[in-house]
Amino acid sequence: MAVRQEPLQEIVSANEPSRFRVVAAGLWRFARHQPLGALSGIITIATFLLAVGAWWGIIVPHDPEVFHGADRLKGLWSTSADGERLYVLGTDDIGRDMLSRLIKGAQLSIFFGLAIAAVSTVIGGVIGLTSAYVGGKTDLIVQRVVDAVQVIPFLVLAIAIVSILGPSIRNGFIAVMILAIPRPARVIRSSVLAAKETAWVEAARSLGASDKRIMFRHILPNVIAPMIVVSTYTLAVAIIVEASLSFLGIGAQPPTPSWGAMLTGSGAVYFETNPRLALLPGFSISIIVFATNMFGDAVRDVLDPRLRGSR
Amino acid sequence: MGQYIIRRLALMIPTVIVITIVTFGLLRVMPGDFVLAQMSEARGLDPESTERFRQELGLDTPAPIQYVKWVSGIAVGDWGESFWLRDPVLHVIGRALPISAELGILAIGIALLIAVPVGVLSAVFQNTWIDYLGRTVAIAGISIPNFFMALMIIIFGARWFGWFPPFGYQNPIDHPWENFQQFFPAALVLGTALSAQNMRMIRTTMLETLREDYVRTARAKGLTETSVTLRHAFRNALIPVVTLLGLQISTVVGGSVIVESVFQMNGVGRTYIDAVNQRDYPLVQGILLMLVSVTLVANLLIDLSYSWLDPRIRYS
C-alpha cells in the first residue's frame, strides 16, 4: 500500500495549478459573468483604500476641521483667498474644504460599516451555528429573543438607545451592533439546519467525527456563502443607519465630518444657493451603498447553487 | 380557522411580554431621566422640588413596581400619561396615528404600483436589458437614503415646480388636494425604498413559478402568454411578496421617523423622536408597544391571507 501511495500523490500535485492561478481564474470568471458586480467590488475596495489612506493622513488635501473665514462657500475648483490652497470641490459655509470632508466622511462610514458587519456576522454566526446545532430548548429560547428584537424597527430602537446613552458615534456603534446581530444569527441558523441534514455530515458522523469537528470542518464551510451575503447586506444597512443617526444629530458630533451630518446642517440651510453642499455627501452615501449592494448581489448569484443553474 | 387565530393570538403574548420588559428595562437602565432632562433646561431646581417632581410622576418607586403598575394599566386600557404633554398616552398616539397610517398605506400602495409591473417584466424578460435595467434601478432605490431623497424632493420641488411642503395636517376628506400634496412626496420617498425590495422578491418568485409544471400545462392548453403570466404564474408568486409586506411594516415605521421629521408631519415617528429626547418614558413605551402590536397583528392577517391566495394552504 505504502508503495502505491507515493506516485499517486505526485500525479495529483503535478496537475494541481498554483493557488494564485486558481484565485485569479476565479476572479476573472466573476468579472466576466458579473461585470457590474465586479465594478461595484472595485468601487467598494477603492473607497476602503481611500478610508485607510485618510486614516494615515495621506490623500486628504486639507485639514477637514479647520475653517477659513475668507473662503466661505467657494465653488468647484476654486482657490483660497490667499491663493495658497486649491478647493477641488469647493468649501462649505464656514470655509472648510469639501473634498477633505467627504474623504474623512468616507473613513467614518466605511470603518463603521465594516466593523458592524464583521462583529455582527461573527457573533451572529456563532449564535446561529450553536443554536441550530444544539437545537432543542436552547434553539427555541434564542429564536424567541431574536424574534422579539426583530419586531421592533431597527432605526426606531437605535434612536432610543443612542439618544438615551448620549449622542456620540461610539454609542451609535454599540446600538447598531446589538441590533445587527439577529439577522445573521437567523440566516446562518437556517443554513446550518439545512447543512446538518446532508449526506456528508451523516457520513462524517458515522466515521466517528466529534461535534466540534463536524461543526467547524463540515458545516461551517457550507454556510460561508450566506455569511458573505448577509455581511454585505449588514455593511450597507450600517452605513445608512450611521448616516441617518448623524442626520438626526445623534450620531457623529461636529466637527467630525460625517456624510449624514453634512446633509442636515449646511446642506439643508444652503440648498437654495449651494445645492452642492447637500448633493455631494448625499450621492457619496448612495454610491457606496449601491456598490456594496450590487457586489453582494453578484456574489450571491455566483455562490447560490440554485441561481447558478438558471444562468 | 377560529381556533388557529386564537392560538396565534395566544402565541403573541410571550413576545409582547418580552418586548415590554426589554423596552421598559432599556429606558430605566440608561442614565438620566425626565426630571434631569428638564433640569438641564430650567436650572436652579432645588433637590427638594426635584424629589417632589419625581414623586408626582411616580419615578420614586423601584423600577419593578413601576413596571407592574404600567403593565396592569395597559390591561385595563390606561397607558399612562405623557410626562411632557400631560396628556394620556393613548390620546397622543390617537392624534398622531392617522397621519402615520395614511403615510404608510400610501407608501405601500406606491411601492406595489412600481414593483409589480417592473418585477413581472424583469422575470419574463430574464437576462435581457429590461431585466438588468429593472434590477439596477431597484438596487439604486434601496441605496439612496430616505433623508437624502426627501431633501432632494424639497430642494428640486421648490426649484422646479415651486412646490413647498404645506404645514399643518390637512384632513383627507375635507381638503383632499392639500392632503395629497402633503402626503404624496413623503409617501413617494418611503415607497421607492420599499418598491426595490418588493421588485426583487417578485422577480425571484416569478422566475421560480414560471418554471412550474402547471405553467407549462397552461401554455400547453394554448392559453395566451399574458394569461399564463398573470393568472397562473403571478398569482402563485404572490405569497412570498405578501410575507415581505408584513416584514416591511417595520421598515415603513422606521422610515417614517426620518421622513416625518424632514417633511414636518406630526405623525407617530416625529412624536417618538420628541418623546425620546424628553425622556418621556410613558410615551416612548406606549409608542413602541403600539408599533409592535400593529406589526404582530398585521403579520397574523398576512398569514391568514395565504389560504385565500393559495387554496392549497388550509389552517386548522
Side-chain angles (χ1 to χ4, degrees):
Chain A
M1 284 298 268
V3 183
R4 267 205 75 195
Q5 242 172 16
E6 294 274 319
L8 246 179
Q9 263 182 352
E10 245 168 58
I11 293 165
V12 170
S13 61
N15 283 348
E16 203 173 14
S18 76
R19 219 182 159 75
F20 172 76
R21 286 187 50 186
V22 173
V23 172
L27 283 178
W28 173 241
R29 212 168 41 241
F30 178 73
R32 229 184 28 214
H33 286 295
Q34 307 278 346
L36 214 51
L39 181 70
S40 305
I42 292 171
I43 293 177
T44 314
I45 291 165
T47 321
F48 175 70
L49 293 178
L50 201 66
V52 175
W55 197 10
W56 282 335
I58 48 176
I59 305 178
V60 187
H62 308 296
D63 189 327
E65 293 178 16
V66 168
F67 50 88
H68 303 276
D71 303 336
R72 297 172 67 233
L73 295 171
K74 288 266 186 190
L76 300 177
W77 208 267
S78 54
T79 44
S80 63
D82 53 13
E84 273 178 9
R85 289 177 297 273
L86 172 70
Y87 299 126
V88 176
L89 293 177
T91 59
D92 67 1
D93 56 322
I94 51 174
R96 293 177 295 196
D97 180 38
M98 280 297 279
L99 180 63
S100 310
R101 288 182 69 72
L102 281 179
I103 293 173
K104 269 293 189 187
Q107 180 195 330
L108 179 69
S109 284
I110 287 282
F111 284 140
F112 189 92
L114 280 178
I116 293 279
V119 174
S120 71
T121 310
V122 169
I123 297 180
V126 170
I127 293 174
L129 190 64
T130 353
S131 168
Y133 196 81
V134 175
K137 267 211 181 86
T138 322
D139 190 33
L140 201 72
I141 293 169
V142 170
Q143 289 314 306
R144 284 290 80 74
V145 174
V146 165
D147 272 350
V149 177
Q150 277 199 321
V151 173
I152 309 174
F154 201 108
L155 193 59
V156 169
L157 207 53
I159 289 170
I161 299 177
V162 177
S163 50
I164 292 171
L165 277 179
S168 79
I169 199 68
R170 192 197 54 159
N171 292 339
F173 185 82
I174 295 172
V176 177
M177 196 189 72
I178 296 171
L179 299 175
I181 292 174
R183 196 185 167 101
R186 164 156 301 181
V187 169
I188 288 156
R189 172 179 173 269
S190 58
S191 316
V192 171
L193 283 181
K196 222 173 110 178
E197 303 305 322
T198 52
W200 68 78
V201 169
E202 212 170 302
R205 184 165 294 130
S206 60
L207 283 172
S210 68
D211 277 351
K212 209 175 105 194
R213 190 182 164 85
I214 294 175
M215 260 167 87
F216 289 99
R217 291 298 295 268
H218 297 277
I219 292 181
L220 190 63
N222 287 290
V223 298
I224 291 286
M227 268 171 118
I228 293 174
V229 173
V230 81
S231 62
T232 59
Y233 168 85
T234 314
L235 173 60
V237 169
I239 291 175
I240 288 207
V241 171
E242 183 273 316
S244 304
L245 291 177
S246 298
F247 178 77
L248 291 172
I250 53 176
Q253 296 300 306
T256 311
S258 154
W259 288 344
M262 286 165 86
L263 267 166
T264 186
S266 52
V269 176
Y270 292 92
F271 67 75
E272 293 266 11
T273 47
N274 287 280
R276 168 179 58 93
L277 294 187
L279 295 182
L280 285 175
F283 279 117
S284 303
I285 303 171
S286 309
I287 289 170
I288 184 67
V289 175
F290 180 77
T292 2
N293 275 327
M294 271 315 246
F295 184 56
D297 247 33
V299 171
R300 190 199 58 194
D301 280 5
V302 170
L303 293 179
D304 190 342
R306 284 198 328 167
L307 293 169
R308 205 188 287 153
S310 68
R311 276 202 71 92
Chain B
M1 191 75 168
Q3 261 188 340
Y4 174 79
I5 296 175
I6 292 168
R7 208 171 61 226
R8 281 289 303 268
L9 287 173
L11 274 174
M12 278 179 197
I13 294 170
T15 314
V16 171
I17 290 175
V18 169
I19 285 164
T20 56
I21 294 174
V22 168
T23 53
F24 187 89
L26 205 68
L27 291 171
R28 303 302 145 122
V29 160
M30 290 175 179
D33 67 4
F34 177 72
V35 177
L36 287 178
Q38 295 310 303
M39 287 265 286
S40 61
E41 274 163 38
R43 248 169 258 121
L45 222 71
D46 53 293
E48 206 175 292
S49 48
T50 359
E51 212 36 59
R52 213 179 48 238
F53 203 11
R54 282 222 170 86
Q55 256 170 30
E56 213 176 286
L57 298 170
L59 285 171
D60 55 335
T61 49
I65 294 175
Q66 287 181 41
Y67 175 75
V68 171
K69 245 166 112 184
W70 177 55
V71 171
S72 50
I74 291 169
V76 295
D78 170 21
W79 290 35
E81 190 178 78
S82 156
F83 290 167
W84 174 242
L85 300 162
R86 292 303 173 106
D87 210 7
V89 167
L90 279 181
H91 280 192
V92 179
I93 294 179
R95 270 200 307 272
L97 195 58
I99 299 179
S100 296
E102 190 186 342
L103 180 62
I105 292 168
L106 213 57
I108 290 180
I110 292 175
L112 288 179
L113 269 181
I114 303 173
V116 168
V118 179
V120 170
L121 284 178
S122 226
V124 172
F125 299 101
Q126 191 196 4
N127 291 335
T128 62
W129 65 270
I130 299 176
D131 183 23
Y132 290 127
L133 185 72
R135 283 159 72 192
T136 311
V137 170
I139 296 182
I142 317 180
S143 308
I144 302 173
N146 279 332
F147 55 88
F148 178 49
M149 198 161 179
L151 209 60
M152 279 207 294
I153 287 187
I154 291 181
I155 294 177
F156 292 110
R159 184 172 279 205
W160 291 339
F161 306 108
W163 174 85
F164 292 96
F167 291 101
Y169 175 58
Q170 304 287 339
N171 173 315
I173 296 150
D174 300 336
H175 307 277
W177 175 238
E178 283 80 4
N179 178 274
F180 178 79
Q181 274 201 326
Q182 195 165 33
F183 278 83
F184 182 72
L188 190 68
V189 171
L190 279 178
T192 39
L194 294 181
S195 72
Q197 285 180 332
N198 286 332
M199 179 259 143
R200 291 163 90 188
M201 182 60 96
I202 291 173
R203 176 179 177 274
T204 315
T205 51
M206 273 300 278
L207 283 177
E208 276 166 19
T209 48
L210 279 172
R211 288 179 176 73
E212 292 281 353
D213 289 341
Y214 52 77
V215 169
R216 197 183 325 125
T217 312
R219 272 207 192 102
K221 279 195 300 191
L223 295 180
T224 60
E225 197 56 30
T226 329
S227 165
V228 171
T229 310
L230 295 182
R231 297 206 22 212
H232 293 258
F234 178 63
R235 194 171 160 195
N236 285 297
L238 273 178
I239 285 196
V241 179
V242 173
T243 311
L244 184 65
L245 279 185
L247 296 175
Q248 281 181 335
I249 289 172
S250 88
T251 318
V252 172
V253 172
S256 67
V257 172
I258 299 261
V259 169
E260 281 172 14
S261 40
V262 178
F263 286 101
Q264 320 243 346
M265 301 161 86
N266 288 315
V268 175
R270 205 163 168 223
T271 312
Y272 174 76
I273 290 196
D274 289 343
V276 167
N277 286 334
Q278 298 291 348
R279 304 279 196 283
D280 193 341
Y281 296 158
L283 193 51
V284 175
Q285 287 162 198
I287 290 178
L288 284 175
L289 186 63
M290 190 272 301
L291 293 181
V292 167
S293 319
V294 168
T295 315
L296 289 173
V297 171
N299 278 309
L300 173 62
L301 290 179
I302 278 163
D303 284 355
L304 293 178
S305 75
Y306 292 161
S307 66
W308 174 71
L309 281 171
D310 187 342
R312 286 173 302 186
I313 299 174
R314 285 272 172 271
Y315 293 113
S316 53

